[in-house]
Amino acid sequence: MAQEKKISSKYIYFFGSFGGILFGYDIGVMTGALPFLKNDWSLTNASVIGWITSAVMFGAIFGGSVAGQLSDKFGRKKMILVSAVIFAIFSLLSMISPNNGALYLIIIRILLGLAVGAASALVPAYMSEMAPANARGSLSGLNQTMITSGMLLSYIMDFLLKGLPEAWGWRVMLGCAAIPAVILFLGVLKLPESPRFLIKNGQPDEARQVLSYIRKDDSEIEAEIKGIEIAFTKETKVAEKTAWATLFSGKYRYLVIAGVGVATFQQFQGANAIFYYIPLIVAKATGNSASSALLWPVIQGVILVLGSLLYIVIAEKFKRRTLLMLGGTVMGLSFILPSLLNLMIANMNPITIVVFLCIYVAFYSFTWAPLTWVIVGEMFPLAVRGRASGLASSMNWVGSWAVGLVFPIMTAAMAQEAVFAIFGVICLAGVLFVHYCVPETQGHTLEEIEEAGMNHGKNKD
């Protein structure tokens, strides 16, 4: 039978994480498009610039939440397909924005954000449910590699297209986002559904077949099937009554706060201020035009991709908490030190801040960037996984939207060094949060994480 044809595990993991390309491309594309759009439409209002840039993230707040719930009902695969279609349509609609149509572009990008947010919630959930426990960190890290590859691709496209007339350059940059969306749709058509979703919906034989594609032997498959069924049986009655309030009930509270907290801190730490506005940051620091600074995003993109590949290599060699605390500490100092140096050294070389931003990006790329989505994918109990993943994704996008919106407003009102110092303090607060509130999950099955978290919740009650 056609549906019994074996699917390569490499194919499953590649296209299972390919949704990150959409996420990454749209994070990065406005970085290069914005200088041309500003000139084409003569944009000077910082609030309008912030809204155009952050509109996708505003839509993603709702896309992540809705997708998490719908994926529990219809499956991870179907919702990824829907996200790809929405992404392709609204990328093309962005390209044909009417001249000086700021409101139109903002609305279209908000709707586009629904698909971006959905992908950010669905891909980590799918990958964590497909990956074996001893490789879940590195395989889930593929999502981050895809995100950073999408960002680098958008930066390269922006750089290559910078010679086009201003009125066309930014349009082509935005419209090209439809290409990876079409590739994702075609690739996901062949993917199997998540085995945990299949068992949850009374299809253990289909789940067993899916696991045969990605596990080594029958004993491993049967042990995993049994573990999923036991966990699901325990949660069935609760799941039927699951509401938003359930997420913060006693036995779930600990794990939900940990996962949602990490997802929230990741964005409020200010990474996307760099990714969205690096040409404008360099222009303000050096006095050169933003359109002449489009090589800097490419450099940042290369750092991000190399960091994501480094993470895949070291994912199972270091504890999750260790990497998060190391990364957060260096990231915080990378933001705070330029402000201190600027106070102590007269006429400090303006490129110094850009060098420190590169250090920030390097450590972010193999710590908070990939680990946030690994933790979101593995932290939440089955009964609340869809809603909790959606909430974590939405809070992540709240931070992304807020940073994208207020950064140009803040830099118009105060020195860039002071703005980054504020983000640096938030980075260090994130380190404290991880130390006190986030459990270690490396090497544990999803069911073991769930049991430990629920026992912790009971002990706190």
Side-chain angles (χ1 to χ4, degrees):
M1 294 175 65
Q3 61 266 37
E4 294 179 351
K5 184 177 180 181
K6 184 172 178 63
I7 304 172
S8 164
S9 60
K10 292 181 180 178
Y11 182 95
I12 291 172
Y13 294 137
F14 179 81
F15 279 105
S17 61
F18 194 84
I21 290 280
L22 307 190
F23 184 179
Y25 190 95
D26 217 87
I27 287 176
V29 68
M30 189 54 76
T31 303
L34 187 59
F36 297 95
L37 178 61
K38 282 181 63 181
N39 291 337
D40 186 29
W41 287 0
S42 301
L43 293 175
T44 57
N45 187 303
S47 295
V48 172
I49 293 169
W51 264 109
I52 289 175
T53 304
S54 65
V56 165
M57 288 70 81
F58 185 75
I61 295 169
F62 307 99
S65 176
V66 172
Q69 295 180 66
L70 292 179
S71 70
D72 281 348
K73 183 175 183 181
F74 299 109
R76 297 3 172 187
K77 175 182 174 178
K78 288 181 181 178
M79 293 311 302
I80 292 174
L81 289 171
V82 171
S83 300
V85 171
I86 294 173
F87 196 97
I89 291 172
F90 287 101
S91 295
L92 296 175
L93 289 176
S94 298
M95 183 175 67
I96 60 173
S97 298
N99 286 330
N100 298 309
L103 181 59
Y104 170 92
L105 184 56
I106 289 170
I107 292 172
I108 290 299
R109 283 177 58 77
I110 288 174
L111 295 173
L112 175 62
L114 295 174
V116 176
S120 74
L122 295 169
V123 170
Y126 182 85
M127 289 298 290
S128 68
E129 293 181 356
M130 298 296 283
N134 61 359
R136 194 171 55 244
S138 56
L139 287 174
S140 296
L142 280 176
N143 178 46
Q144 182 61 24
T145 300
M146 290 295 186
I147 292 172
T148 56
S149 297
M151 293 173 69
L152 178 58
L153 177 63
S154 71
Y155 295 150
I156 291 172
M157 290 295 293
D158 290 348
F159 184 77
L160 294 176
L161 295 171
K162 68 178 182 178
L164 289 176
E166 287 178 344
W168 279 101
W170 65 267
R171 295 179 186 275
V172 176
M173 292 173 186
L174 297 184
C176 283
I179 297 173
V182 171
I183 295 173
L184 174 66
F185 182 88
L186 296 176
V188 171
L189 281 175
K190 189 180 174 184
L191 285 184
E193 185 50 85
S194 153
R196 283 175 173 79
F197 174 82
L198 292 171
I199 289 176
K200 187 177 178 181
N201 286 271
Q203 299 174 281
D205 291 337
E206 288 82 352
R208 190 172 284 106
Q209 181 179 322
V210 172
L211 287 172
S212 72
Y213 305 148
I214 51 180
R215 299 294 185 265
K216 293 180 179 179
D217 53 55
D218 290 344
S219 61
E220 183 180 358
I221 293 170
E222 293 307 316
E224 187 161 348
I225 291 284
K226 184 176 180 181
I228 296 171
E229 287 178 336
I230 291 172
F232 176 65
T233 300
K234 290 179 180 178
E235 299 299 335
T236 299
K237 291 182 180 180
V238 176
E240 291 173 354
K241 301 176 183 178
T242 297
W244 284 108
T246 310
L247 299 184
F248 298 99
S249 66
K251 63 180 179 178
Y252 299 128
R253 185 189 307 125
Y254 175 58
L255 293 179
V256 170
I257 288 176
V260 173
V262 168
T264 304
F265 266 109
Q266 188 209 39
Q267 289 304 325
F268 279 101
Q269 289 168 336
N272 280 349
I274 303 172
F275 304 143
Y276 302 147
Y277 296 111
I278 186 64
L280 303 182
I281 293 169
V282 175
K284 187 169 183 178
T286 63
N288 298 323
S289 68
S291 58
S292 68
L294 290 184
L295 185 59
W296 278 104
V298 176
I299 294 172
Q300 302 280 15
V302 170
I303 293 172
L304 282 169
V305 171
L306 292 176
S308 70
L309 294 174
L310 172 63
Y311 171 74
I312 291 176
V313 173
I314 67 173
E316 306 307 335
K317 298 178 181 178
F318 294 92
K319 300 293 186 182
R320 313 274 198 252
R321 284 161 40 88
T322 300
L323 288 176
L324 286 174
M325 289 190 286
L326 169 66
T329 301
V330 176
M331 288 154 54
L333 293 176
S334 298
F335 274 161
I336 293 171
L337 287 177
S339 185
L340 296 177
L341 290 174
N342 192 50
L343 292 174
M344 294 186 293
I345 303 174
N347 301 316
M348 185 181 73
N349 190 323
I351 210 68
T352 301
I353 188 173
V354 183
V355 173
F356 275 101
L357 293 185
C358 288
I359 295 172
Y360 174 100
V361 170
F363 277 81
Y364 174 81
S365 68
F366 70 89
T367 58
W368 280 83
L371 276 168
T372 294
W373 301 110
V374 173
I375 286 173
V376 167
E378 68 187 7
M379 186 69 70
F380 304 125
L382 182 62
V384 297
R385 186 167 297 152
R387 286 182 185 268
S389 296
L391 177 61
S393 176
S394 293
M395 290 305 298
N396 185 268
W397 285 111
V398 166
S400 183
W401 165 67
V403 169
L405 179 63
V406 305
F407 183 78
I409 300 172
M410 292 174 70
T411 54
M414 65 180 81
Q416 285 190 148
E417 291 87 350
V419 176
F420 286 123
I422 293 171
F423 289 133
V425 172
I426 297 174
C427 289
L428 298 181
V431 172
L432 294 176
F433 176 82
V434 170
H435 180 73
Y436 290 108
C437 302
V438 179
E440 184 56 59
T441 58
Q442 184 203 33
H444 299 288
T445 67
L446 299 185
E447 289 68 39
E448 288 170 348
I449 296 168
E450 178 173 342
E451 182 178 358
M454 290 170 67
N455 288 339
H456 184 281
K458 290 175 183 177
N459 293 337
K460 289 289 185 180
D461 289 342

